[in-house]
Every structure is written in structure tokens, then in C-alpha cells.
């Protein structure tokens, strides 16, 4: 009799150890939660009362600005996105499963919120992360990187010392505010700090601030919950200063210095034509780099009429090459004409004094025009334009 009791105790101990070891694995927990047959978890929102909205917490940070394209007015960015919500049918006691408080499961086993990005312009080419993290209290979290191409309206009036604001808005596509509520998990200061700490500083843009707002969109009298991120970027202007502003400043100095060349020999006209050709090349470069917006930048506002003509003439590189060839031919013809007329010039002393006075007047007027224009430019660039 004592031997039988001892055998039963030994068998019970072995079974207890076996049961304990099996309960420490993921599969027994999935069977306990009925996740091995998860069709019912995919059919509807995971709430025990349909009148109760599902709260989805959005947390997004900016990892990198890949490109801010001016011609298409689109922003290509890399975001880190976390989305957390509560599943009322998924919970367990960690003590029954060796203290296990969380586990990871495949993406297709549970219901997912219908997240939509309102500014999206292109197909989603983000890396695929097919993993969900589930906690013992029923919290479900999806974390993934998002490579986003979104619309961004640019204001280039202060180019190249401009600041741009682009928005990224998350919200449900189908569920109304009575069914699903989107909420920001972190405030603006936290998102900005994390984004700036992890921001990859490359390219021509610097991240200044990320503003976070909880909003409601009204469409046909129906409200949809939204979380709106406003990303503020500042252009790093060093490339444009070296390639555009410095050459333009040198050409302006040369142009003004040309006013002191004698008008009798014809050298001034040739010099001026060369300077105009330099401005023409700069306009071609500038028009190729500027986005198509309703507001023109102040950097070419002083030659707006020339810029408009050049935009029409510079739709492709072949037309630009043809235009430059025509200008060069005109320069050659003008120089030949000057050479021929120089041989035929007669004394016109009566007009020399009139021409000299008019020339000095134009020189003074040109000088003050340059000073006023540069003052306006510097003022606009120094004052933040929003």
C-alpha cells in the first residue's frame, strides 16, 4: 500500500513538472487564448460592447527627410510608427504561464485598425514587419517603419532661406468617431525631442519642430478621428549661396563697374552683353531648381518679366541650348557690327556731353536700385516667413 502511494506521488510530481514546462511555452498560451483558431478575432472590432469605441494610440517620430521635391511638391520621409489598442478578448494571468507578460504573434492573427494617411501620394513601399506585440492585459502594439511620399504645399518666397511646413495626418478610413478614436500617445515636445535625437542629418533640410494635434474630420455630417503631425523644416542654404547668390552678386558688381567704362569705344556694350549672358545662365539654373508655386521667390522678383519669358523658353534642356546658341550668335553679330561702325564713325561732339550726363544719371539710379533691392532681400531673409 505504501509503495502504491509512493508511485502515485512520483507520477503526480512528473506530471506537474511536465505541465509546468508546457505552460512556459508560447503555444500553450496561444491555445489558452484560442489564437490557433483566430478567424473570429478578425471579423469585427475586439470590444465586448459595440457601443464602446476602440481607442487607438498613435506615436510617430521623424527618422529622416529623404527628399522634399519642389516640382511635384511632395515630401519623401521615413517615419517610425507605433500603434497601440486594446483587445477585449485577449488577456491572461502571467502567474499561470511562468510570469510571461507579453509575447509576439504574426500580424494576421488579430484585428487591425484601418489606418489611413490622408496626404499619401504614392504606393506604400515601406518595409514589411509582420509582427504584433501582445501584453497580458490585452494591449496590442504594432511597430513599423513607414517610407512615406506625401503632398506638401511649398512657400518659396524666402528661398533659399525658407522654412517649410508639411503635414502627415493619420486616421481611420471606414470607422467613424463613434466606432474608433485616434489619439496621440505623445505630446509635441516629446515627439520633437525624440525626432531630433534620432534624425539623420543629411541633405539640405534641418528638422526644427513637430507639432501634434488631435482633430476630428467632418465628412457629409459624419465625424472621423484624426491625429495630425505638422513637420517644420528649415532649408540649409549653403549650396544655393555658393552656386547662385555669390555668382549673382559678382555679376551685379561687374555690371555696376561697367558703368565706368568709356562709351566712345564700344567696349561697354560688349561688356554689358557678356554680363547679361551670365545673368541668363543663372536664370536658367534658378528656374530649373525652383518649384512650380503660385508665389515667386524674392530672389528673382527683380527680374520677374525675364524669368517668366525664360520659364516658357526653358521647358526642356534642348530649348535652353538653342536659346543660348541664339544669344551667342547675336553677340557675334553685334561685335561685327560694332567693328564695322567704328570705322565709319564721325565726330559727334555735340552729343557726347548729353550722353555723358545721361550715363551718369543712369549710373546713380542703378546704384540706388541695387542698394534698395539688397536691403529688401536681406530684410526678407532675416525675418522668418511663415
Amino acid at each position: 500500500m505504501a509503495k502504491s502511494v509512493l508511485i502515485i506521488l512520483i507520477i503526480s510530481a512528473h506530471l506537474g513538472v511536465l505541465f509546468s514546462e508546457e505552460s512556459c511555452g508560447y503555444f500553450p498560451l496561444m491555445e489558452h487564448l484560442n489564437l490557433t483558431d483566430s478567424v473570429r478575432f478578425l471579423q469585427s472590432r475586439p470590444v465586448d460592447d459595440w457601443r464602446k469605441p476602440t481607442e487607438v494610440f498613435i506615436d510617430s517620430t521623424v527618422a529622416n527627410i529623404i527628399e522634399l521635391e519642389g516640382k511635384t511638391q511632395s515630401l519623401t520621409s521615413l517615419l517610425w510608427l507605433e500603434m497601440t489598442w486594446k483587445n477585449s478578448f485577449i488577456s491572461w494571468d502571467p502567474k499561470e504561464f511562468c510570469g510571461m507578460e507579453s509575447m509576439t504573434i504574426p500580424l494576421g492573427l488579430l484585428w487591425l485598425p484601418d489606418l489611413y494617411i490622408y496626404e499619401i501620394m504614392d504606393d506604400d513601399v515601406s518595409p514589411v514587419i509582420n509582427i504584433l506585440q501582445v501584453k497580458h492585459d490585452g494591449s496590442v502594439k504594432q511597430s513599423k517603419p513607414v517610407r512615406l511620399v506625401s503632398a506638401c504645399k511649398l512657400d518659396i518666397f524666402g528661398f533659399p532661406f525658407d522654412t517649410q511646413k508639411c503635414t502627415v495626418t493619420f486616421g481611420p478610413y471606414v470607422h467613424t468617431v463613434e466606432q474608433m478614436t485616434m489619439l496621440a500617445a505623445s505630446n509635441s515636445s516629446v515627439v520633437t525631442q525624440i525626432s531630433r535625437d534620432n534624425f539623420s542629418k543629411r541633405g539640405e533640410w534641418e528638422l526644427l519642430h513637430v507639432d501634434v494635434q488631435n482633430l476630428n474630420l467632418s465628412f457629409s455630417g459624419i465625424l472621423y478621428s484624426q491625429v495630425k503631425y505638422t513637420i517644420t523644416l528649415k532649408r540649409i542654404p549653403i549650396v544655393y549661396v555658393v552656386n547662385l547668390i555669390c555668382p549673382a552678386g559678382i555679376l551685379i558688381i561687374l555690371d555696376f563697374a561697367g558703368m565706368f567704362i568709356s562709351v566712345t569705344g564700344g567696349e561697354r556694350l560688349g561688356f554689358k552683353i557678356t554680363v547679361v549672358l551670365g545673368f541668363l545662365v543663372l536664370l536658367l539654373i534658378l528656374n530649373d531648381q525652383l518649384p512650380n508655386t503660385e508665389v515667386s521667390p524674392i530672389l528673382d522678383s527683380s527680374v520677374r518679366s525675364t524669368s517668366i519669358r525664360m520659364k516658357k523658353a526653358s521647358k526642356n534642356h534642348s530649348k535652353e541650348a538653342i536659346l543660348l546658341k541664339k544669344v551667342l550668335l547675336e553677340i557675334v553679330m553685334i561685335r561685327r557690327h560694332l567693328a564695322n561702325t567704328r570705322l565709319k564713325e564721325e565726330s559727334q561732339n555735340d552729343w557726347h556731353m548729353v550722353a555723358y550726363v545721361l550715363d551718369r544719371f543712369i549710373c546713380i539710379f542703378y546704384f540706388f536700385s541695387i542698394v534698395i533691392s539688397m536691403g529688401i532681400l536681406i530684410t526678407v531673409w532675416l525675418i522668418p516667413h511663415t
Side-chain angles (χ1 to χ4, degrees):
M1 184 64 179
K3 290 183 179 180
S4 300
V5 173
L6 181 60
I7 292 174
I8 292 174
L9 290 175
I10 293 174
I11 294 175
S12 300
H14 281 286
L15 290 175
V17 171
L18 181 62
F19 178 76
S20 175
E21 291 177 354
E22 290 180 350
S23 298
C24 292
Y26 291 112
F27 190 75
L29 178 56
M30 294 182 66
E31 285 190 331
H32 172 75
L33 299 175
N34 292 323
L35 289 177
T36 54
D37 184 17
S38 62
V39 177
R40 67 189 187 95
F41 292 110
L42 300 173
Q43 294 177 348
S44 62
R45 289 190 303 117
V47 293
D48 49 13
D49 187 351
W50 69 271
R51 294 167 296 185
K52 180 181 179 181
T54 301
E55 291 186 343
V56 180
F57 293 91
I58 300 292
D59 201 1
S60 179
T61 57
V62 182
N64 190 16
I65 299 298
I66 300 174
E67 183 181 17
L68 184 55
E69 176 60 39
K71 296 298 181 182
T72 59
Q73 297 204 37
S74 62
L75 171 66
T76 304
S77 58
L78 180 63
L79 309 177
W80 297 109
L81 176 64
E82 286 189 357
M83 187 166 51
T84 307
W85 66 96
K86 195 71 171 290
N87 192 315
S88 300
F89 307 120
I90 304 295
S91 63
W92 70 90
D93 185 0
K95 296 179 181 180
E96 298 180 0
F97 297 91
C98 300
M100 188 188 307
E101 296 184 351
S102 65
M103 69 173 178
T104 57
I105 61 174
L107 187 66
L109 294 183
L110 293 178
W111 175 89
L112 299 176
D114 54 326
L115 183 68
Y116 179 72
I117 302 176
Y118 286 78
E119 295 85 359
I120 193 169
M121 292 181 61
D122 207 346
D123 297 334
D124 187 6
V125 293
S126 305
V128 179
I129 307 297
N130 292 321
I131 296 296
L132 292 176
Q133 184 178 5
V134 182
K135 292 186 177 181
H136 66 93
D137 60 352
S139 298
V140 183
K141 181 170 70 173
Q142 182 186 17
S143 302
K144 63 176 182 179
V146 177
R147 189 182 189 275
L148 176 65
V149 180
S150 58
C152 180
K153 186 176 181 180
L154 304 183
D155 181 7
I156 61 166
F157 183 75
F159 175 87
F161 302 95
D162 53 332
T163 300
Q164 304 296 337
K165 291 186 177 182
C166 302
T167 60
V168 179
T169 307
F170 299 96
Y173 190 80
V174 176
H175 293 90
T176 64
V177 72
E178 290 83 8
Q179 299 169 329
M180 183 185 300
T181 303
M182 290 279 183
L183 298 171
S186 302
N187 57 29
S188 300
S189 59
V190 174
V191 174
T192 300
Q193 187 62 42
I194 297 176
S195 298
R196 297 190 68 176
D197 291 341
N198 300 323
F199 187 73
S200 178
K201 295 182 180 179
R202 62 180 184 179
E204 61 174 316
W205 295 101
E206 177 185 358
L207 179 65
L208 294 182
H209 189 263
V210 181
D211 184 60
V212 185
Q213 292 177 294
N214 294 318
L215 304 172
N216 285 330
L217 171 66
S218 178
F219 182 77
S220 299
I222 302 175
L223 293 179
Y224 295 88
S225 180
Q226 293 181 338
V227 177
K228 183 178 181 180
Y229 289 80
T230 303
I231 304 171
T232 304
L233 302 171
K234 181 180 180 181
R235 191 191 302 270
I236 301 175
I238 182 64
V239 175
Y240 301 98
V241 170
V242 173
N243 295 331
L244 290 177
I245 296 180
C246 288
I250 294 174
L251 287 176
I252 291 175
I253 295 174
L254 292 176
D255 191 24
F256 182 73
M259 301 295 295
F260 298 95
I261 299 178
S262 176
V263 297
T264 57
E267 290 83 2
R268 177 188 288 192
L269 183 58
F271 183 81
K272 290 286 187 179
I273 291 175
T274 304
V275 173
V276 170
L277 181 61
F279 275 114
L280 180 65
V281 175
L282 277 182
L283 280 175
L284 293 176
I285 298 174
L286 183 64
N287 290 331
D288 185 61
Q289 294 181 350
L290 290 180
N292 297 319
T293 59
E294 298 176 356
V295 180
S296 299
I298 194 171
L299 184 63
D300 62 350
S301 60
S302 60
V303 286
R304 183 169 301 171
S305 59
T306 305
S307 178
I308 293 175
R309 292 195 299 270
M310 291 309 303
K311 282 185 178 180
K312 294 180 180 179
S314 59
K315 292 183 179 178
N316 52 54
H317 295 288
S318 61
K319 291 185 178 181
E320 296 172 359
I322 294 174
L323 181 61
L324 290 176
K325 289 180 180 179
K326 289 182 178 180
V327 173
L328 291 174
L329 291 176
E330 292 292 334
I331 293 175
V332 173
M333 293 178 62
I334 291 174
R335 287 186 176 275
R336 289 178 180 177
H337 177 72
L338 290 175
N340 294 330
T341 56
R342 189 180 300 115
L343 299 176
K344 301 177 181 179
E345 286 181 349
E346 297 178 355
S347 176
Q348 299 178 353
N349 295 329
D350 295 339
W351 293 100
H352 284 174
M353 183 58 66
V354 176
Y356 178 79
V357 173
L358 182 61
D359 183 71
R360 295 302 95 183
F361 174 78
I362 295 176
C363 180
I364 295 173
F365 177 78
Y366 186 44
F367 174 76
F368 283 106
S369 299
I370 293 175
V371 172
I372 294 173
S373 299
M374 294 303 297
I376 295 175
L377 279 174
I378 294 174
T379 303
V380 171
W381 285 339
L382 290 179
I383 298 176
H385 181 71
T386 58

